[in-house]
Amino acid sequence: MTKVKKRIIKGFLSLVVVLTAAGVSSCSESESYSELLRDEEQAVNVFLSQHKVALEVPSDSISFETGEDAPFYRLDPDGYVYMQVIDKGDTENKIKNGDVVYFRFTRQNLKLLAAGEEAEKEGNSEDIGGSVGATYFVYQNSYLESTATWGTGIQMPLRFFGYGCEVNLVLRSYYGFSSDQTYCIPYLVNVRYFKPEY
């Protein structure tokens, strides 16, 4: 082997070592998916520790407590979605599978709140003509993009209430907006549900 070839191979191996070390360093600086999930769970627990929590939902929609002091009811067995009922809306006429539901929302990042940071409110509750625009889903149809975008957690209150209801939801990313799932960001979401106007 010539001296030139040896130098090229040696230089190449040195480059590989440097790039490998840089890759290991950058991996250690970013969180793994399991660490993101752990951080998400901790942020939710910090928020819920400051509120009343009910692990069971009432057997009927009439028995739910309402208002800003009402408990957060756990809606799924794994504790990924909690609901505080502000207004029950129409409890007589439940929304059926395939119904179009428009909603307005405001949300805050629970990781930022848990860290004591300012969590900007975002959504379309105050300005439906803003960057978010009109938001809707087709109840119990997760195949449509308009529905999948918002996740399944935002539909859960409609098992109990109809149009006109208002709730605060603690949504972990698994049931949250599709944009939050990669980074495991939990949100506190205030949601109001409306009948479509034709």
Side-chain angles (χ1 to χ4, degrees), residues 103-107 121-125 127-136 149-150 177:
F103 66 97
R104 290 189 178 198
F105 72 96
T106 302
R107 67 186 196 149
K121 292 184 177 181
E122 56 186 59
N124 65 355
S125 281
D127 182 15
I128 199 157
S131 62
V132 177
T135 48
Y136 69 94
T149 298
W150 309 113
F177 295 6

Side-chain angles (χ1 to χ4, degrees), residues 27-47:
C27 285
S28 65
E29 291 172 10
S30 64
E31 290 186 284
S32 68
Y33 187 66
S34 62
E35 290 171 322
L36 289 171
L37 287 172
R38 185 197 66 230
D39 293 347
E40 178 183 37
E41 183 177 11
Q42 288 175 347
V44 167
N45 289 341
V46 166
F47 177 81

